[in-house]
Amino acid sequence: MSRSIEQTDAHIFKTYGRFPIAFVRGEGAWLWDDAGRRYLDFLSGIAVCNLGHCHPAVVRAATEQLERLVHVSNFFYTAPQAELAEQLTRHSFADRVFFCNSGAEANEAALKLARRYGNAAAGGPRSEVITMQASFHGRTFATLAATAQAKVQEGFAPLMPGFVYVPFNDFDALQAAVNARTCAVMLEPIQGEGGVNVPDADYLKRVRGLCDRAGLLLIFDEVQVGMGRTGRLFAHEHFGVTPDIMTLAKALGGGLPLGAMLASQRVADLFTPGSHASTFGGNPVATAAGCAVMRELLDGGVLENCRAMGLYLQDRLEELQKRRPEAVACVRGRGLILGMELRGSGKPVVDRCLADGLILNCTADRILRFLPPLIITRAQVDECCAILDRALGAAG
Ligand SMILES: *Cc1c(COP(=O)(O)O)cnc(C)c1O
């Protein structure tokens, strides 16, 4: 067994179920382990490496910044975070950006901003946030309470109060849950961890309407589905709706740790000097990488490839479903976040694919989740489907 595996198993908290593979190199959609074996990556570090591994533009931007200036503090100004903030606001509904280092932190910032909003509300303080069943918003105390999944919350009582859960894609249940204490609705436009759940075409529009009528903030967690994953820069663009607050992380830094909370001016004004902070937030190296990611997504043909390959992969998966109806219940998703719902457990299929050189993920027990880099090619999609077909055949 490799030294990395021994050291990890001996010295790192056992918070992750890991496969016994140690990776040493990546390029595009390929990864190599320490024995020199090559794998096709349909996970992308969980929707992080959207441009593939070691994209030259990201490597160049980060390396150049690393050699010039690594860190100062947010008492001062630096060019990369200024540039990335301008890019993000220019290409979204938002007027202002708060930078942090992860998805959970971005959601913490959003929830703190929602508190400010609720506490300043006419008619008395409001502090309840409605979130969705099967959601995922992070593992910190506030985001854990926002995440309506018993298995994530188990053993951490008492949870932070002030969260109410309703089923995803059920407008009537949401409307019924709104009361005089509600200040915000927070949801993923497409649920990732919950099983690649895509809402009905008009659901988010109705949610937006309800928020407007009741004076609630609408918060979209685009940590997983933002940054081009669905074939548009932000997933909510598919639904013709804009939120008041949006959170980003995962793919934002091209593999470097970077998160952001974005808001419209009206809401952003509620944060003033001292309201919130992060030592590393907007770090020059991470944001320089983020600028390169934005340029590639917008000008490098990556969104177009994501849309085309997303449709192609979805077709191929639906073909598989038709040929193996005993194993596959349905296929769903948008762009290059696709889910294949199996009739049985996904774990043996994932294990067989891995043994055959394909990295796939299973979420919510029975949903195979496809998150290839957005630069994936037709030949690589074909290779994925051939391996998956063999794995399904062996499992059935
Ligand atoms: C991954 C994820 C998070 C948490 O991000 P971390 O960087 O792990 O804190 C939050 N929301 C969604 C939708 C995610 O997929």
Side-chain angles (χ1 to χ4, degrees):
M1 198 187 283
S2 89
R3 176 127 176 84
S4 309
I5 295 177
E6 279 172 19
Q7 288 172 311
T8 299
D9 289 350
H11 304 298
I12 295 184
F13 268 89
K14 298 203 178 273
T15 55
Y16 304 104
R18 296 182 200 257
F19 296 99
I21 298 172
F23 285 116
V24 294
R25 191 163 76 83
E27 190 184 319
W30 301 105
L31 282 169
W32 284 265
D33 71 12
D34 58 359
R37 186 152 185 241
R38 192 176 79 155
Y39 297 79
L40 182 58
D41 187 4
F42 266 58
L43 179 59
S44 306
I46 319 182
V48 168
C49 303
N50 279 7
L51 300 177
H53 295 282
C54 299
H55 189 284
V58 175
V59 172
R60 197 179 320 117
T63 308
E64 282 178 12
Q65 187 59 45
L66 201 50
E67 286 172 343
R68 192 175 307 126
L69 179 68
V70 178
H71 177 83
V72 276
S73 87
N74 284 310
F75 294 147
F76 303 98
Y77 294 83
T78 60
Q81 70 166 261
E83 178 61 30
L84 181 56
E86 190 190 85
Q87 289 282 327
L88 287 170
T89 53
R90 184 184 310 153
H91 295 286
S92 73
F93 71 94
D95 301 302
R96 293 200 178 268
V97 183
F98 176 86
F99 285 117
C100 53
N101 315 284
S102 68
E105 279 177 89
N107 287 332
E108 286 278 340
L111 290 166
K112 281 181 72 174
L113 191 54
R115 274 285 174 86
R116 275 275 163 116
Y117 174 84
N119 283 328
R126 307 192 211 156
S127 62
E128 265 180 29
V129 177
I130 303 175
T131 65
M132 305 295 146
Q133 284 164 16
S135 58
F136 186 81
H137 299 296
R139 304 284 193 153
T140 60
F141 265 106
T143 61
L144 183 65
T147 296
Q149 291 195 53
K151 68 168 197 259
V152 174
Q153 298 177 340
E154 193 189 323
F156 295 114
L159 294 178
M160 184 179 145
F163 290 93
V164 173
Y165 312 133
V166 298
F168 184 62
N169 197 29
D170 182 339
F171 179 76
D172 294 337
L174 175 64
Q175 190 166 36
V178 172
N179 63 55
R181 295 178 304 282
T182 313
C183 70
V185 175
M186 179 173 183
L187 77 174
E188 303 151 79
I190 295 173
Q191 289 189 326
E193 300 305 305
V196 191
N197 302 317
V198 183
D200 296 339
D202 66 343
Y203 172 69
L204 294 178
K205 260 201 187 117
R206 297 179 75 195
V207 174
R208 175 75 267 181
L210 173 65
C211 288
D212 290 341
R213 287 193 299 282
L216 313 178
L217 292 183
L218 179 56
I219 306 170
F220 283 162
D221 178 343
E222 293 232 13
V223 169
Q224 184 159 156
V225 294
M227 300 312 290
R229 179 51 58 186
T230 64
R232 300 216 174 264
L233 190 56
F234 304 115
H236 66 259
E237 294 172 24
H238 291 287
F239 301 96
V241 175
T242 57
D244 301 292
I245 301 175
M246 169 170 72
T247 56
L248 299 172
K250 291 205 163 89
L252 180 59
L256 279 89
L258 180 60
M261 185 268 293
L262 293 81
S264 56
Q265 190 67 53
R266 169 181 79 101
V267 184
D269 283 340
L270 294 163
F271 268 5
T272 51
S275 297
H276 200 45
S278 166
T279 298
F280 287 123
N283 170 271
V285 179
T287 46
C291 289
V293 169
M294 283 292 282
R295 273 194 299 275
E296 286 303 313
L297 287 180
L298 295 167
D299 305 330
V302 177
L303 295 179
E304 292 78 1
N305 190 67
C306 174
R307 291 197 284 270
M309 288 303 110
L311 289 173
Y312 181 59
L313 175 56
Q314 186 156 8
D315 273 359
R316 296 294 319 266
L317 295 177
E318 280 166 2
E319 248 170 63
L320 262 175
Q321 178 197 352
K322 281 202 195 84
R323 276 199 297 112
R324 300 189 180 279
E326 73 292 345
V328 181
C330 72
V331 174
R332 55 181 180 248
R334 192 61 78 83
L336 285 169
I337 175 165
L338 295 172
M340 174 181 258
E341 184 170 333
L342 302 180
R343 301 199 188 276
S345 166
K347 172 93 172 84
V349 180
V350 166
D351 289 347
R352 273 195 195 87
C353 287
L354 194 60
D356 219 355
L358 171 69
I359 301 171
L360 259 191
N361 168 261
C362 170
T363 189
D365 300 328
R366 289 185 300 112
I367 320 295
L368 294 182
R369 182 172 43 166
F370 300 80
L371 296 166
L374 311 184
I375 48 97
I376 201 81
T377 64
R378 259 177 112 83
Q380 288 165 336
V381 168
D382 290 340
E383 181 163 347
C384 161
C385 292
I387 294 173
L388 176 62
D389 190 25
R390 286 198 290 276
L392 288 171

